[in-house]
Amino acid sequence: MDTKERFAITTGGDYHGKNILAPMVRVGTLPMRLLAAQYGAHITYGEELIDRRVMTCRRVENNALGTTDFIDKDQKLMFRTCEEERTRIVFQMGTADAVNALKAAEIVCRDVQVIDINMGCPKHFSTSGDMGAKLLHKPDTVWDILTTLRRNLPCPVSCKIRLLDTPEKTLALAQMIERADVIAMAVHGRYIPQRPRDPAHWDRISEVVAGMSIPVIANGDVFEHGDFERLRNDTGAVAAMTARGAQWNASIFRHEGLLPLWQVKQDYVRHCIVTDNAVANSKYVIKEMIMKHDTHSLEGVEGKAINKCKDLHSLAQLYDLDDFYCDVIKHRTRKRAADESPNAA
Ligand code: FNR
């Protein structure tokens, strides 16, 4: 079975009509991806991880959690995934070099659906290493990375770009990417110097879509559920992707409408507990949710209480999930004991 076929089967068809969780550094760890999917996201991107770090990882089956973990050379957990998300997880990588990209991708490719290359990040930490948006001006490197991955990986490859300063330049790059045989391309409808508060250019995305035959995923300013369809219709893109809309309230993926933020935070903390997410990362994501609605909220009662949480148990207590937490830990402890001495059960 070729890679496109495999992806088509596991995503239940293709990218058509899909609502997608965008890659987000620190936000897009496993509990957020599971939360977005719980609410209806069809495809969920992980946060961008840098090839040099991924290259050093070893794969570990974590039986107690039911996850697959990738641990780096400093023994830090770099990436955690699980069977439940296997059919929809896109692993995004930051890279500037085909050899490193391949070494890194080979480590995770059997546990994810697609390897995606970030070609849009304008932040210094990316561009200083010639990664992210720097790649938009290096077509030879882009070609080298994408064709190397396509030739050697058992899974499909995609990429995510921003707009170049003229429609002709954007289209020329996009068509070159298409020739490299990627399965899809996401277009974030902003120019490199533009900040998130600047409106996204849906009209510019439609110009790219018109010149492409592979699936294009449109990205930018999806802030309510109806925007997914509006963005697809306005641009002609087959799929629509949201970052901040989901960061602030992941229930944006529900066609029945948004849930109260308290319930979303509770659901998020449940996923953090079940996946044993790092408390610092869990607190960061919850703070991002509450800051959108009230920039002073971190100085309020909830914000101060989050800051004081030292572990997932205290976070669970803050969100009325003490019983849930204790049940999960009890179950996990029993499982560990059974795994360690299988004959005792
Ligand atoms: C991002 N973005 C981003 N893009 C990417 O390709 N890789 C990444 O790791 C990140 N990280 C990231 C973190 C956070 C907190 C935000 C808000 C954004 C950009 C993101 O995927 C998206 O392209 C833009 O945010 C535009 O989409 P929205 O926010 O208008 O829906």
Side-chain angles (χ1 to χ4, degrees):
M1 188 189 309
D2 87 359
T3 53
K4 281 187 186 168
E5 243 181 294
R6 181 185 142 201
F7 184 69
I9 288 166
T10 50
T11 58
D14 52 28
Y15 284 91
H16 280 86
K18 299 287 193 271
N19 297 335
I20 301 180
L21 177 72
M24 283 185 276
V25 163
R26 291 192 76 187
V27 175
T29 47
L30 181 57
M32 175 54 83
R33 300 196 300 269
L34 293 176
L35 184 73
Q38 175 189 336
Y39 294 146
H42 303 113
I43 297 174
T44 53
Y45 281 56
E47 59 175 335
E48 178 199 38
L49 293 165
I50 305 301
D51 57 1
R52 284 182 180 280
R53 190 166 164 222
V54 182
M55 277 159 57
T56 72
C57 286
R58 67 197 158 86
R59 180 184 186 280
V60 178
E61 286 291 352
N62 187 328
N63 293 329
L65 294 180
T67 58
T68 304
D69 297 348
F70 292 86
I71 314 282
D72 75 8
K73 66 172 176 11
D74 301 321
Q75 307 311 317
K76 285 202 185 115
L77 177 69
M78 186 219 47
F79 176 61
R80 171 165 285 165
T81 182
C82 62
E83 194 55 40
E84 188 192 327
E85 69 164 359
R86 202 123 307 167
T87 56
R88 55 175 184 258
I89 166 75
V90 177
F91 184 91
Q92 196 194 53
M93 206 157 57
T95 184
D97 174 81
V99 174
N100 288 348
L102 180 59
K103 279 187 192 154
E106 276 175 334
I107 290 178
V108 293
C109 65
R110 281 169 191 79
D111 294 291
V112 301
Q113 278 303 313
V114 178
I115 299 286
D116 184 82
I117 302 299
N118 182 354
M119 300 187 187
C121 182
K123 300 234 168 91
H124 181 72
F125 71 83
S126 259
T127 53
S128 62
D130 282 343
M131 297 179 290
K134 263 288 171 71
L135 286 177
L136 297 175
H137 299 293
K138 297 191 158 197
D140 292 347
T141 310
V142 169
W143 179 259
D144 196 19
I145 292 170
L146 296 178
T147 54
T148 301
L149 295 182
R150 279 293 296 122
R151 268 200 312 274
N152 294 288
L153 291 180
C155 70
V157 176
S158 66
C159 65
K160 177 165 173 281
I161 67 167
R162 275 191 177 228
L163 300 172
L164 286 160
D165 51 12
T166 68
E168 295 74 24
K169 284 187 195 164
T170 311
L171 192 57
L173 178 80
Q175 288 176 338
M176 186 272 279
I177 287 169
E178 177 168 288
R179 285 195 296 280
D181 196 28
V182 297
I183 193 165
M185 184 185 71
V187 183
H188 174 193
R190 288 189 175 81
Y191 297 102
I192 298 166
Q194 282 191 295
R195 301 277 70 93
R197 64 176 174 276
D198 303 320
H201 302 283
W202 289 11
D203 49 343
R204 293 275 102 91
I205 299 176
S206 59
E207 291 165 0
V208 179
V209 174
M212 306 281 291
S213 50
I214 57 166
V216 174
I217 302 160
N219 168 229
D221 292 351
V222 168
F223 294 127
E224 54 186 78
H225 187 78
D227 289 340
F228 285 113
E229 198 174 343
R230 271 189 285 282
L231 179 54
R232 282 197 298 269
N233 289 342
D234 281 18
T235 61
V238 297
M241 169 187 268
T242 183
R244 289 166 300 157
Q247 177 186 21
W248 295 328
N249 187 330
S251 69
I252 190 172
F253 286 103
R254 277 166 47 94
H255 62 81
E256 304 90 338
L258 284 182
L259 291 171
L261 194 59
W262 177 262
Q263 193 177 333
V264 174
K265 287 183 284 193
Q266 268 195 328
D267 285 345
Y268 176 72
V269 174
R270 273 195 200 93
H271 286 297
C272 291
I273 294 167
V274 170
T275 62
D276 197 23
N277 196 48
V279 68
N281 179 257
S282 310
K283 285 165 63 172
Y284 172 82
V285 174
I286 298 171
K287 285 193 218 171
E288 289 295 310
M289 291 184 206
I290 64 178
M291 268 182 341
K292 146 75 177 157
H293 301 275
D294 172 7
T295 45
H296 299 294
S297 53
L298 293 185
E299 294 140 35
V301 179
E302 187 182 358
K304 283 183 178 156
I306 295 172
N307 280 337
K308 278 194 199 139
C309 290
K310 296 265 182 287
D311 50 32
L312 283 180
H313 194 181
S314 45
L315 209 53
Q317 285 166 333
L318 182 60
Y319 289 99
D320 294 340
L321 293 168
D322 198 17
D323 290 349
F324 180 83
Y325 177 87
C326 293
D327 283 350
V328 170
I329 298 301
K330 219 183 286 167
H331 176 78
R332 198 176 292 157
T333 310
R334 273 203 216 112
K335 178 143 188 13
R336 256 195 207 116
D339 286 348
E340 277 162 22
S341 51
N343 298 329

